[in-house]
Amino acid sequence: MFAGKRTDVDVYFRRIGVEDVPRENQNAIADFVVKQFRFKDDLLDYHKTHQRFPGEQYPLPRRYISLIMFYVWSFVTITPGVMFLRYLVLNKCYYMLLFLGIVCVLGGVTSYKIISAANVQNSRPSGTEKQKGS
């Protein structure tokens, strides 16, 4: 999907009921949130070690309708742009083609810079470091 490489996505779902969220005071809420972040960090550590989340796995079946819809929507969205470029070439609108080319290059460079600036390192975003012996 990205640069022609296969991408696997692992998702972990856990439902937290409204009745399980403390509402007594700010300290209880803060402790609850910190506990959830620590649980998340432990899950990420487990995933980093075992390349999967704990618990039962539910693989998704392949659905060919998704592939068909991808090609249909690709055709529907790309065709008008191609027809517009064809119109510009046939009517010798070279300045407009040059303008569109510059816009595309600038957009691509900007996107590349934004994506490369968002490079996330392996860290513990909650700021909770594992304590020795835990």
Side-chain angles (χ1 to χ4, degrees):
M1 181 175 209
F2 301 104
K5 297 178 184 174
R6 178 181 169 167
T7 303
D8 291 327
V9 177
D10 294 325
V11 180
Y12 184 87
F13 287 102
R14 184 172 63 119
R15 181 184 173 277
I16 299 174
V18 174
E19 63 277 357
D20 297 333
V21 178
R23 287 178 242 143
E24 298 86 40
N25 58 35
Q26 292 294 330
N27 289 335
I29 295 170
D31 290 341
F32 176 79
V33 170
V34 168
K35 180 181 172 188
Q36 298 308 313
F37 271 100
R38 286 189 177 143
F39 178 75
K40 183 242 342 156
D41 288 339
D42 291 339
L43 271 177
L44 290 175
D45 289 341
Y46 183 93
H47 188 274
K48 189 174 181 180
T49 304
H50 299 93
Q51 277 69 46
R52 67 177 191 87
F53 288 116
E56 194 170 343
Q57 305 280 314
Y58 299 100
L60 295 175
R62 288 185 175 248
R63 296 181 357 190
Y64 291 106
I65 189 69
S66 299
L67 183 63
I68 293 168
M69 291 307 295
F70 170 77
Y71 284 119
V72 167
W73 281 110
S74 296
F75 177 77
V76 168
T77 57
I78 292 173
T79 301
V82 171
M83 296 303 290
F84 180 65
L85 288 175
R86 181 177 166 263
Y87 169 81
L88 292 177
V89 169
L90 292 177
N91 290 312
K92 300 179 182 175
C93 301
Y94 298 121
Y95 290 114
M96 186 63 144
L97 286 170
L98 179 64
F99 174 74
L100 287 175
I102 291 172
V103 168
C104 288
V105 168
L106 289 176
V109 169
T110 304
S111 298
Y112 177 77
K113 292 289 185 184
I114 290 171
I115 291 170
S116 64
N119 187 11
V120 178
Q121 301 296 323
N122 289 335
S123 63
R124 298 179 72 82
S126 65
T128 59
E129 293 296 326
K130 276 203 158 196
Q131 298 176 3
K132 293 179 182 176
S134 63

